[in-house]
Amino acid sequence: MGQARPAQTCRCLPRQHAHSGRALASSGSGRASPPTAAIISPLNTHTAGSIRSTATATATATTKRQSTSSSMARLAILVVLLAASSALSAAQKASPKPAAKAAPGPASSGGGAADASPPTDINKALKDEQFSEFKQLLHDTRVDTQINAQLTDSYNGLTIVAPTNAAFDKMKAGVLNGLSPQEQIQMVLYCVLPRFYSLSMLGTLDGKVTTQGSGHDGPYKYDIERSGNNINVSTGVNWMLLGSPVSKEFPLAIYPVDKVPLPYELFGPKPPTPAPAPAPAPAKSKTKKKKKSTGIAEPPTADDDTSTSDNQKAAAAPGAGGVATRWVVAALSVGAAVLGGGLF
């Protein structure tokens, strides 16, 4: 009975402790050792948990410190960037502004500087004072409105042969005023080609080119040909050389000329007016030849079957008196002959 209780006590301990008790019992001691391992194990577990908690807290604190350090570093970088931006802005404000470019002076009659951007307004494209008379003519004929509408909607663009003020000065006085309003419109449209032509494209045409001016016989045309490095334009009445382009970007090309283009259909020689047809000759009346007088009176004859009865009566009255007179004369002649014979 006294030896059975330790055995029960051993069964109440954990397995590893029971095995330890058995090991001690088998070693020959008559009494089991106290459960030291069972007491140490809970202490070790509590200590390990405390260590793990301490390590976790330390790691968390370290992470927070690192996060705080990283945030501070980013904040410092942002402050530096803001300071640099403020300094750059202040430097730009303090630096002197560049001088404005001088406006280009009026170009010579041979041409002007090309526009930087493609224009869609003919009046802005012809801003140079040397085109003031041509601009006024465009405005008076309302052709400028038509050109602007075409520049906005056309896929082919336009080419303008623009006469300068010097070109208008060379014209004879009264030439424009001698044209009707419709002819003036066609003369201005004669300066407009219905598509965009660069200088290189014009150099390859070498022939008839259609314009927007037109008349009874169809569109007015230019005869364009290359002459060395120049482009020669002939109207059939006058000719001119194209100057340097004032506008060379699509959709509008403008070439100044020192003569006003005169369409052949308006200013060329007119065909001679045909002479009127001669009037028909009046019909000749039929007349009959009169026989020589034989001394014997002849009865009167009518001149024509178509004569009126009044004419016939007028002719018959003097004829009757003449016959009587002839008979008297004849009787006197016969009597004179008889008396002469009696005398002989």
Side-chain angles (χ1 to χ4, degrees):
M1 292 296 293
Q3 294 180 354
R5 288 181 180 176
Q8 291 178 355
T9 302
C10 289
R11 282 195 296 268
C12 294
L13 294 174
R15 288 185 179 181
Q16 57 180 356
H17 300 157
H19 289 297
S20 299
R22 291 191 191 98
L24 291 172
S26 60
S27 61
S29 61
R31 189 175 178 179
S33 60
T36 306
I39 296 172
I40 293 174
S41 179
L43 292 175
N44 291 337
T45 302
H46 178 72
T47 303
S50 299
I51 294 172
R52 283 196 296 271
S53 299
T54 303
T56 302
T58 304
T60 302
T62 303
T63 303
K64 288 182 178 180
R65 284 195 299 270
Q66 291 177 352
S67 176
T68 302
S69 301
S70 177
S71 299
M72 292 297 292
R74 283 195 289 266
L75 182 60
I77 292 173
L78 181 60
V79 170
V80 171
L81 290 176
L82 289 174
S85 177
S86 300
L88 180 61
S89 177
Q92 289 179 348
K93 291 180 179 179
S95 61
K97 294 182 179 180
K101 293 183 178 179
S108 62
S109 60
D115 292 341
S117 60
T120 55
D121 189 335
I122 183 63
N123 293 309
K124 292 182 179 179
L126 295 173
K127 59 186 177 182
D128 201 314
E129 186 61 27
Q130 66 173 335
F131 300 111
S132 60
E133 293 191 31
F134 184 53
K135 285 173 61 177
Q136 186 63 43
L137 192 58
L138 288 170
H139 176 73
D140 293 342
T141 57
R142 299 295 186 269
V143 175
D144 55 350
T145 303
Q146 176 180 338
I147 291 175
N148 291 339
Q150 289 180 284
L151 291 174
T152 304
D153 300 332
S154 176
Y155 292 99
N156 295 323
L158 295 174
T159 299
I160 308 293
V161 179
T164 61
N165 294 347
F168 283 97
D169 293 340
K170 295 177 183 178
M171 291 185 65
K172 294 181 179 179
V175 172
L176 291 178
N177 295 332
L179 299 175
S180 67
Q182 182 61 29
E183 289 174 339
Q184 289 185 7
I185 292 174
Q186 297 307 320
M187 178 179 171
V188 176
L189 288 175
Y190 188 56
C191 299
V192 183
L193 278 63
R195 63 165 300 175
F196 177 87
Y197 288 105
S198 63
L199 273 176
S200 59
M201 294 171 65
L202 288 171
T204 61
L205 293 178
D206 197 18
K208 298 290 184 181
V209 179
T210 302
T211 69
Q212 289 195 343
S214 61
H216 297 294
D217 298 330
Y220 300 163
K221 296 182 179 180
Y222 287 128
D223 190 1
I224 295 181
E225 62 181 8
R226 192 178 189 91
S227 177
N229 295 328
N230 300 317
I231 304 298
N232 183 20
V233 178
S234 175
T235 69
V237 177
N238 58 354
W239 64 272
M240 64 238 39
L241 295 176
L242 297 183
S244 299
V246 175
S247 173
K248 59 181 179 180
E249 299 295 334
F250 186 87
L252 180 62
I254 300 178
Y255 300 96
V257 289
D258 59 354
K259 296 179 184 177
V260 178
L262 304 177
Y264 185 86
E265 289 79 0
L266 296 180
F267 297 93
K270 301 295 187 292
T273 304
K284 295 182 179 180
S285 61
K286 295 181 179 180
T287 57
K288 293 183 179 180
K289 293 182 180 181
K290 293 182 179 181
K291 295 181 180 180
K292 293 182 179 180
S293 177
T294 58
I296 301 175
E298 297 179 356
T301 58
D303 291 340
D304 199 344
D305 294 338
T306 60
S307 62
T308 62
S309 60
D310 294 339
N311 293 336
Q312 290 176 354
K313 291 179 181 179
V323 170
T325 303
R326 290 189 186 98
W327 280 111
V328 172
V329 172
L332 291 175
S333 298
V334 171
V338 171
L339 289 176
L343 293 175
F344 288 105

